[in-house]
Amino acid sequence: MSTTSMPAILDAVRQRALSDSEALALADYSDTAALAEVAGELRDRGYGGVVTYSRKVFIPLTHLCRDVCHYCTFAKTPKRIEQAYMPVEQVLAQVREAEKLGCKEALFTLGEKPELRYRAAREALAEMGFASTLEYLAHVAGRVLEETSVLPHINAGCMTDDEIAMLRPVSASMGIMLESASERLCEKGMPHYGSPDKAPAVRLETLARAGRACVPFTSGILIGIGETRRERIESLLALRALHTQHGHLQEIIIQNFRAKPDTKMASAPEPDLDELLWTIAVARLIFGAEMSIQAPPNLSPGVLPQIVAAGINDWGGVSPVTPDFVNPEAPWPHVERLAKETALSGKLLQERLTIYPRYIRDAERWLDKALRPRLLQAVDGQGMPRVDDWLTGQSDSAPDSDMALLRKERVAASRPIAAILRRAEAGERLDEDEIVQLFAARGDDFAAVCRSADRLRQQVCGDTVSYVVNRNINYTNVCYFKCQFCAFSKGKLSENLRGRPYDLSAEEIARRADEAWQRGATEVCMQGGIHPEYTGQTYLDILATLRAASPDMHIHAFSPLEVWQGAETLGLPLEEFLRQLKAAGLNSLPGTAAEVLDDEVRAVLCPDKINTQQWLTVMETAHGVGLPTTATIMFGHVDGYQHWARHLLAIRDLQARSGGFTELVPLPFVASESPIYLKGNARRGPTFRESLLMHAVARLVLHGLIDNIQASWVKMGEAGVLACLNAGANDLGGTLMNETITRAAGASHGEEVGPAEMDARIRAMSRSPRQRNTLYGEADPAQRERAARAESLKDVVNTPASKYERSKRGLIASG
């Protein structure tokens, strides 16, 4: 294929994968700048404005190796080392020190099966009670997992199926450098001569074994050791073929040879910068936008922006503790310096884990069952590491790093994010991919998304912050549904978690409603578990009791699940049941039971609950009979950004048809007492950045259709609410009087914030408070007066569930 066809090839790679013949044609094309231009476009498509790295500690478990690569200074003979293997306690001491410095990866590197060559290795292993180096490695990596929070990444060389199976439960990822697929380099006089484990077929078979075993794997090539450009491409194509078959290669490393003293290749020429940039660009063109392409930063000091421009998206592992034992002459750059050099290329340096996000998101396939809880606790919704200790419902302060970004005088959004924000501010419908990009925003992009949302909030709502004086009445915590996230509901006789099962009497429901009215409430919010003995008539009776107790109270009641179940138990069409509820006194519906409106998530989170379409049908039908509703999203558990995007679009599209949503309420998942979290099957809730972005992105996606975005002070805390009010939110929900569902899940923030305190908090945020009613009108003046002089709440009475009240009708009249 002639170079005259190269423009066509470069144009084609923007749309599709290159064929092998097209890729091989790149070997004769020397215009590195042209290659890098297209490679940079592909990298930006896959990774946007982020370049990642892993904060690691380097563990050289043994320097003994049976191979004799002519460029290597890592491998040593027994006479040149003090001990054959690092003792496990020495490893743990280094890992613990690294853990204190924020390291999340322990990179185990070692020579190839030295016991096959050296008696010293065999004797050392026998003395420790192990039959092989890899058996000892499995033991050490297991101890690291048990005793620290650091995740092992294992570079163990060539392995059998059994060895991979042995190491998989104790490592989050593994790797082996192919280096080259050229058999020529194994011939006499070439760098791999005398090194049986460097035979390309042997290494490729290990890579294939890892793929079949579903191990997230790292590989790559070493350039400048005598191979040709065509041979590099052949090596990359061999790796691509394996990845196409198994999908297990999480990154491809392009490592440039560095000549080292006291080796056979001490005087060999090193590849120049153009050679490195050319190879990086070609690797990107061959693997496309999605593959992570990495180049070690310590091997190319002073030219890192050029390397980024050639198409990499990752710097690999960088250690603040240990040197690069493979290239000891090349010190790691400090992370702060690496961040600055990355910024010079217009990119944000972002920490990642040793295992890449897409493999974490499909953990059942790619991770041993024992490792999944560790990974879930360590990551956010994208699969990136959590870098602060903020927890929903428990943290009183906001992370300094996020707040510093929000306070920056000037922020420069990347071109893709800036384009999306312009469309959102114009009221255009964003697509799923654009919304995902907004949720993934970090650094200046994160601040830009929040500021864009805040501009829209100012435009639509001004500086007024509203709230409603209300009371939550959760009439039963008995529920026959098995929602995995719920710490509130209980089986009929369950006494686990927080308190005994209860089922309120009609008299207690009426008493609470009357007390709420006397204390200035304009709304009661009624929700509970789905008691196995409840029917639709139960909900109608509850409304009758409330209306008798408090004729003028706004009744905001019954989730779509309760409505659906009520209609089914009475054998009524959904619309007819909703009309009956309205006639009985129902004023509006809460938008709960939504969790995340994506059935992929619901299948894990609440498999026996109504599905996405059923939830939307209840809401659309309610809007059709004149019952307005709120909308919610509970996020930060087993979901990802694409699920959040689908949820917001479902709400937006329904609102465009019906106009019945009054507000969106983001509900960050409170994990600590949630069953799914306690079982190790969910994350710890969203990060602070994600929680802010949910409010901001919701404002942007729903602009022009839903004006009110609510921040939950119970879940976000006072500092979090302040940040939300500067990121698109304009409402603080209710004063609550009683709140039990969030607290049952482990939240520690208060149960009631009265109007005086709410007003003071809002004014302290330099905003104007407004007490509203449920539908965002002005609160009744008489009720405002009552709220201002409200007495303390009386103790509640939770009727034990064993004394089931078959009738919810009461005779208490309003006081």
Side-chain angles (χ1 to χ4, degrees):
M1 189 175 295
S2 70
T3 56
T4 58
S5 61
M6 192 54 60
I9 293 176
L10 294 182
D11 188 56
V13 77
R14 292 181 168 97
Q15 309 299 326
R16 59 169 175 79
L18 294 180
S19 68
D20 285 5
S21 61
E22 289 172 327
L24 288 168
L26 297 173
D28 298 321
Y29 190 66
S30 58
D31 190 343
T32 301
L35 295 172
E37 180 182 355
V38 180
E41 290 178 24
L42 290 175
R43 184 268 324 283
D44 288 350
R45 189 186 306 168
Y47 294 91
V50 171
V51 174
T52 51
Y53 79 102
S54 175
R55 200 174 182 94
K56 73 175 181 183
V57 56
F58 204 131
I59 305 294
L61 194 64
T62 179
H63 284 274
L64 298 176
C65 181
R66 71 166 178 165
D67 293 329
V68 289
C69 301
H70 297 181
Y71 45 77
C72 180
T73 58
F74 177 80
K76 295 177 172 58
T77 62
K79 293 180 180 180
R80 297 180 61 194
I81 57 175
E82 293 182 4
Q83 55 190 9
Y85 296 90
M86 285 181 69
V88 64
E89 294 302 331
Q90 184 181 344
V91 172
L92 289 170
Q94 284 200 9
V95 173
R96 291 187 185 109
E97 185 64 27
E99 188 178 27
K100 294 175 185 177
L101 295 174
C103 292
K104 300 175 180 65
E105 172 189 345
L107 169 59
F108 283 90
T109 188
L110 52 153
E112 294 265 2
K113 299 180 179 175
E115 66 273 21
L116 299 181
R117 180 175 182 178
Y118 295 115
R119 185 175 65 182
R122 295 190 293 273
E123 291 175 347
L125 288 168
E127 186 176 345
M128 294 187 293
F130 299 98
S132 69
T133 298
L134 296 193
E135 188 179 307
Y136 178 58
L137 171 61
H139 169 74
V140 176
R143 290 282 301 274
V144 168
L145 274 176
E146 290 170 8
E147 300 179 36
T148 77
S149 64
V150 179
L151 296 167
H153 170 86
I154 290 175
N155 286 346
C158 296
M159 294 177 283
T160 65
D161 289 335
D162 288 344
E163 288 166 341
I164 291 173
M166 176 177 63
L167 293 172
R168 189 173 188 266
V170 295
S171 60
S173 58
M174 301 186 212
I176 185 172
M177 288 289 284
L178 173 60
E179 297 192 5
S180 177
S182 172
E183 297 282 357
R184 187 177 59 84
L185 298 186
C186 296
E187 295 173 359
K188 190 171 183 178
M190 301 303 286
H192 291 156
Y193 181 70
S195 300
D197 300 291
K198 291 301 173 75
V202 175
R203 298 182 88 74
L204 288 169
E205 179 56 29
T206 293
L207 283 156
R209 293 177 192 276
R212 292 192 292 269
C214 295
V215 175
F217 224 67
T218 292
S219 193
I221 62 173
L222 179 62
I223 71 168
I225 56 173
E227 81 293 346
T228 65
R229 283 185 169 185
R230 183 181 177 87
E231 286 172 332
R232 287 180 210 162
I233 293 174
E234 290 171 342
S235 300
L236 293 170
L237 289 174
L239 291 172
R240 187 175 74 168
L242 285 169
H243 182 66
T244 300
Q245 185 176 1
H246 302 292
H248 65 308
L249 294 185
Q250 58 175 8
E251 61 186 347
I252 298 296
I253 302 172
I254 307 300
Q255 182 172 331
N256 47 313
F257 162 72
R258 295 287 297 267
K260 300 171 181 63
D262 302 320
T263 67
K264 290 184 178 181
M265 294 181 66
S267 59
E270 297 178 351
D272 62 20
L273 178 59
D274 183 71
E275 206 68 39
L276 176 61
L277 300 180
W278 182 92
T279 309
I280 290 169
V282 166
R284 173 62 68 194
L285 298 185
I286 289 172
F287 282 95
E290 299 302 319
M291 178 60 73
S292 182
I293 305 295
Q294 177 194 126
N298 60 316
L299 301 185
S300 304
V303 294
L304 301 191
Q306 292 100 304
I307 291 175
V308 173
I312 70 152
N313 63 282
D314 188 78
W315 291 122
V318 176
S319 179
V321 186
T322 50
D324 179 353
F325 287 94
V326 175
N327 296 282
E329 78 289 350
W332 299 113
H334 291 294
V335 171
E336 292 78 10
R337 179 62 187 169
L338 187 60
K340 290 178 181 178
E341 293 211 42
T342 304
L344 290 175
S345 63
K347 305 296 178 186
L348 173 73
L349 184 67
Q350 171 65 40
E351 186 180 0
R352 63 163 172 85
L353 296 180
T354 180
I355 176 172
Y356 275 73
R358 63 182 176 273
Y359 297 93
I360 297 172
R361 293 195 295 266
D362 191 10
E364 285 196 15
R365 178 183 179 191
W366 294 107
L367 278 169
D368 186 84
K369 185 177 181 179
L371 283 171
R372 293 172 203 163
R374 285 280 297 271
L375 266 296
L376 285 173
Q377 290 191 33
V379 299
D380 63 18
Q382 190 180 13
M384 291 294 194
R386 300 178 72 103
V387 293
D388 59 60
D389 296 325
W390 188 86
L391 289 176
T392 308
Q394 298 182 32
S395 298
D396 294 319
S397 59
D400 292 339
S401 56
D402 291 327
M403 296 308 293
L405 283 167
L406 295 178
R407 288 192 294 264
K408 281 184 69 173
E409 289 188 14
R410 295 181 180 180
V411 296
S414 63
R415 281 184 294 177
I417 293 296
I420 297 170
L421 294 179
R422 285 193 295 271
R423 293 191 60 223
E425 291 192 41
E428 297 180 30
R429 185 186 187 279
L430 303 180
D431 64 30
E432 181 181 318
D433 181 65
E434 289 173 316
I435 298 170
V436 168
Q437 288 183 62
L438 294 181
F439 280 125
R442 299 174 190 270
D444 276 14
D445 278 348
F446 160 68
V449 171
C450 292
R451 291 187 188 185
S452 177
D454 198 47
R455 285 193 296 273
L456 291 183
R457 184 271 312 162
Q458 172 69 37
Q459 175 185 322
V460 173
C461 306
D463 286 330
T464 297
V465 177
S466 54
Y467 66 93
V468 63
V469 177
N470 70 343
R471 183 171 201 168
N472 281 11
I473 302 178
N474 305 121
Y475 34 81
T476 183
N477 65 352
V478 176
C479 187
Y480 67 85
F481 284 85
K482 305 298 182 185
C483 298
Q484 295 298 302
F485 61 87
C486 185
F488 169 74
S489 66
K490 296 166 176 45
K492 191 170 182 179
L493 299 178
S494 169
E495 296 184 24
N496 63 343
L497 298 176
R498 295 172 180 262
R500 291 177 59 86
Y502 69 82
D503 178 33
L504 298 187
S505 66
E507 289 74 19
E508 177 63 11
I509 291 173
R511 187 198 68 77
R512 293 191 195 184
D514 179 64
E515 182 182 34
W517 182 262
Q518 301 304 326
R519 298 181 81 247
T522 60
E523 170 197 306
V524 286
C525 179
M526 308 290 296
Q527 295 180 95
I530 309 298
H531 196 296
E533 298 182 66
Y534 278 20
T535 69
Q537 187 60 49
T538 308
Y539 302 122
L540 292 168
D541 290 348
I542 288 172
L543 291 171
T545 296
L546 290 168
R547 274 289 161 253
S550 186
D552 297 321
M553 183 76 79
H554 182 106
I555 303 176
H556 182 64
F558 312 137
S559 72
L561 175 60
E562 291 167 293
V563 172
W564 188 275
Q565 186 259 5
E568 281 196 331
T569 57
L570 294 181
L572 291 175
L574 188 59
E575 181 176 340
E576 175 59 27
F577 184 55
L578 282 163
R579 290 189 186 280
Q580 289 189 19
L581 291 173
K582 184 179 179 183
L586 181 63
N587 300 113
S588 62
L589 272 68
T592 49
E595 304 12 303
V596 175
L597 294 175
D598 185 281
D599 288 336
E600 181 181 10
V601 174
R602 300 178 79 79
V604 177
L605 205 61
C606 46
D608 56 348
K609 214 168 191 175
I610 55 175
N611 61 34
T612 296
Q613 188 53 54
Q614 289 169 333
W615 189 94
L616 292 168
T617 297
V618 172
M619 292 315 221
E620 188 161 15
T621 307
H623 298 168
V625 302
L627 286 169
T629 76
T630 63
T632 66
I633 178 170
M634 188 192 74
F635 61 102
H637 31 77
V638 299
D639 45 358
Y641 297 167
Q642 73 277 20
H643 304 119
W644 303 354
R646 293 167 196 164
H647 183 108
L648 292 180
L649 287 172
I651 296 296
R652 187 188 196 281
D653 292 343
L654 176 52
Q655 182 73 346
R657 295 195 303 271
S658 70
F661 290 120
T662 57
E663 66 200 61
L664 178 84
V665 188
L667 300 172
F669 174 56
V670 180
S672 61
E673 296 291 340
S674 174
I676 194 170
Y677 174 74
L678 294 174
K679 294 174 185 176
N681 295 327
R683 300 195 303 279
R684 291 193 291 164
T687 64
F688 187 77
R689 179 191 68 86
E690 291 173 323
S691 297
L692 255 60
L693 282 173
M694 181 59 76
H695 294 79
V697 174
R699 170 68 68 185
L700 294 163
V701 172
L702 303 174
H703 178 49
L705 291 169
I706 298 179
D707 289 343
N708 301 299
I709 306 297
Q710 185 183 121
S712 170
W713 56 268
V714 174
K715 292 177 169 62
M716 293 299 301
E718 193 169 352
V721 161
L722 173 58
C724 289
L725 291 177
N726 288 299
N730 67 291
D731 185 79
L732 297 187
T735 58
L736 296 182
M737 296 192 193
N738 297 106
E739 199 294 318
T740 54
I741 294 176
T742 301
R743 290 177 64 79
S748 57
H749 297 146
E751 289 191 30
E752 180 179 23
V753 174
E757 185 179 352
M758 192 75 87
D759 288 352
R761 289 185 180 184
I762 293 169
R763 289 192 179 98
M765 298 171 187
S766 300
R767 301 286 175 85
S768 301
R770 181 174 81 91
Q771 191 174 320
R772 61 168 175 87
N773 62 26
T774 305
L775 302 182
Y776 284 83
E778 294 299 322
D780 179 82
Q783 288 302 94
R784 290 179 57 123
E785 182 63 27
R786 282 176 166 166
R789 51 182 174 80
E791 297 180 356
S792 299
L793 282 167
K794 295 178 182 178
D795 291 339
V796 299
V797 177
N798 287 336
T799 315
S802 57
K803 300 177 181 179
Y804 174 59
E805 297 288 333
R806 293 189 179 277
S807 173
K808 294 295 185 188
R809 285 185 177 269
L811 302 176
I812 299 176
S814 173

